[in-house]
Amino acid sequence: MKRKFGTLEWATHNVNILNGCKNDCKYCYSKEMAIRFKRKNRDNWKFEEKIKTVNEIKLPKETGTIMFPSSHDLSKKYIDEEIEVIKYILTNGKYLLLVSKPNLEVIKRICDTFSEYKDKILFRFTIGSVFDETLSFWEPYAPRFLERKKSLIYAYENGYQTSISCEPMLDDQIETLIEEVENYITETIWIGKPNYLLRRLKMNGYDKSTEEYIKALKLIEILNDDFIMNLYKRNKENKNIMWKESIMAVIDRNIIYEKST
């Protein structure tokens, strides 16, 4: 059976209303696709544009989780419009997965607005490292670690369902991250490798001569199969951890190898 990949591991349907993302993450899949299909370019991706109103959103009739957003982040600039989208999804009886590199003000606004829908909302906050130097390099305009952790704690202490996405891992200190967030999650911590990192960097404007490309090569080497297998073996009994497809591919490959030898 073919393993699910990307957002399909989390939700059956995605909703987006913006083109572009202020975070301007260097490894960004959505930026790569926007450049490829000429919806944006390398320089203007970080400028968000509204491309859809709530009245233009079509929700599926079948049951399943709606992920919002998937190709941009929750935006302070467009929070009123995002509130309307969230309300529309929830009042239509759907279960909502909210994914963000969270801005605390935005998360407080959402939590305070939708307290009656706590059983229908799961927050999944993306944190790839506990180190601000690392976050600021790969995700230059996204909130730093403390703000993301404060957002997680706010949602958790206000009774919301919470989880973490550590995809992509941005360093080899992931167990430090697990220790920092584990007490504030009600669901899971998803761990994954950077996907197609060199290809995405090239499309997003970073070639072999750039610092980004050089650091990407080092990151790929750090997150090698031995590291992944050791990380898995140390944490495989932790029921709070889920392994993304990129990790499971390494695990399966090594298990097959070990059985054959």
Side-chain angles (χ1 to χ4, degrees):
M1 184 174 66
K2 188 175 181 180
R3 184 180 290 122
K4 291 182 179 179
F5 182 81
T7 62
L8 289 175
E9 292 188 84
W10 293 349
T12 55
H13 298 85
N14 300 330
V15 169
N16 296 287
I17 63 169
L18 303 180
N19 182 23
C21 180
K22 63 177 179 56
N23 296 334
D24 203 24
C25 301
K26 294 170 180 176
Y27 55 76
C28 181
Y29 161 79
S30 297
K31 181 175 182 178
E32 176 198 18
M33 296 302 291
I35 294 169
R36 179 173 296 172
F37 293 101
K38 303 187 186 307
R39 296 191 297 267
K40 285 276 192 178
N41 60 47
R42 294 167 177 172
D43 297 322
N44 66 19
W45 169 254
K46 61 180 174 287
F47 301 116
E48 301 159 330
E49 302 172 278
K50 188 173 71 172
I51 57 171
K52 189 177 292 186
T53 67
V54 67
N55 296 325
E56 296 172 294
I57 295 172
K58 295 181 180 179
L59 298 178
K61 293 181 179 180
E62 62 269 25
T63 59
T65 298
I66 307 295
M67 177 176 169
F68 173 67
S70 66
S71 64
H72 59 85
D73 206 336
L74 295 170
S75 169
K76 184 177 178 181
K77 179 180 178 181
Y78 290 100
I79 184 59
D80 290 336
E81 290 87 343
E82 290 162 347
I83 290 289
E84 287 301 310
V85 171
I86 294 169
K87 181 179 179 181
Y88 176 66
I89 293 171
L90 293 172
T91 55
N92 275 275
K94 303 300 183 182
Y95 190 85
L96 177 62
L97 173 64
L98 283 171
V99 180
S100 179
K101 297 179 174 76
N103 171 282
L104 182 57
E105 183 178 338
V106 169
I107 299 308
K108 284 184 175 181
R109 173 86 181 274
I110 293 171
C111 288
D112 296 348
T113 302
F114 295 103
S115 58
E116 64 184 292
Y117 291 99
K118 291 177 183 178
D119 62 328
K120 294 289 186 181
I121 297 174
L122 169 63
F123 285 100
R124 181 156 294 149
F125 297 133
T126 300
I127 312 177
S129 173
V130 299
F131 300 109
D132 284 347
E133 182 179 357
T134 300
L135 295 176
S136 63
F137 180 80
W138 291 108
E139 305 163 351
Y141 304 108
R144 299 299 174 247
F145 175 74
L146 184 58
E147 183 169 3
R148 299 191 208 189
K149 184 177 179 180
K150 286 182 176 179
S151 299
L152 172 67
I153 293 172
Y154 189 88
Y156 175 82
E157 290 184 343
N158 280 274
Y160 283 88
Q161 301 170 80
T162 54
S163 61
I164 293 292
S165 169
C166 183
E167 185 192 32
M169 294 184 285
L170 297 175
D171 58 37
D172 59 357
Q173 302 299 309
I174 302 310
E175 283 154 310
T176 302
L177 173 60
I178 294 170
E179 291 174 4
E180 286 277 352
V181 302
E182 197 166 20
N183 290 334
Y184 307 105
I185 63 166
T186 66
E187 205 227 28
T188 49
I189 302 169
W190 286 81
I191 298 177
K193 296 172 64 177
N195 291 311
Y196 309 110
L197 182 56
L198 297 180
R199 188 193 79 189
R200 289 176 181 171
L201 282 176
K202 184 177 180 180
M203 180 64 74
N204 292 344
Y206 310 100
D207 61 22
K208 293 181 179 180
S209 66
T210 65
E211 183 182 5
E212 288 79 5
Y213 200 93
I214 295 167
K215 286 193 174 184
L217 289 172
K218 183 178 180 180
L219 181 61
I220 290 170
E221 175 56 31
I222 289 171
L223 303 180
N224 58 38
D225 282 11
D226 286 342
F227 171 80
I228 296 299
M229 286 304 299
N230 287 328
L231 179 68
Y232 171 74
K233 289 174 181 177
R234 289 194 301 269
N235 294 278
K236 63 181 179 180
E237 303 301 326
N238 188 336
K239 298 185 184 301
N240 290 330
I241 294 178
M242 294 290 289
W243 307 96
K244 288 285 285 181
E245 189 274 344
S246 57
I247 302 290
M248 291 306 302
V250 175
I251 295 167
D252 290 348
R253 185 164 63 244
N254 279 270
I255 289 174
I256 291 171
Y257 173 78
E258 289 172 2
K259 285 182 178 180
S260 68
T261 56

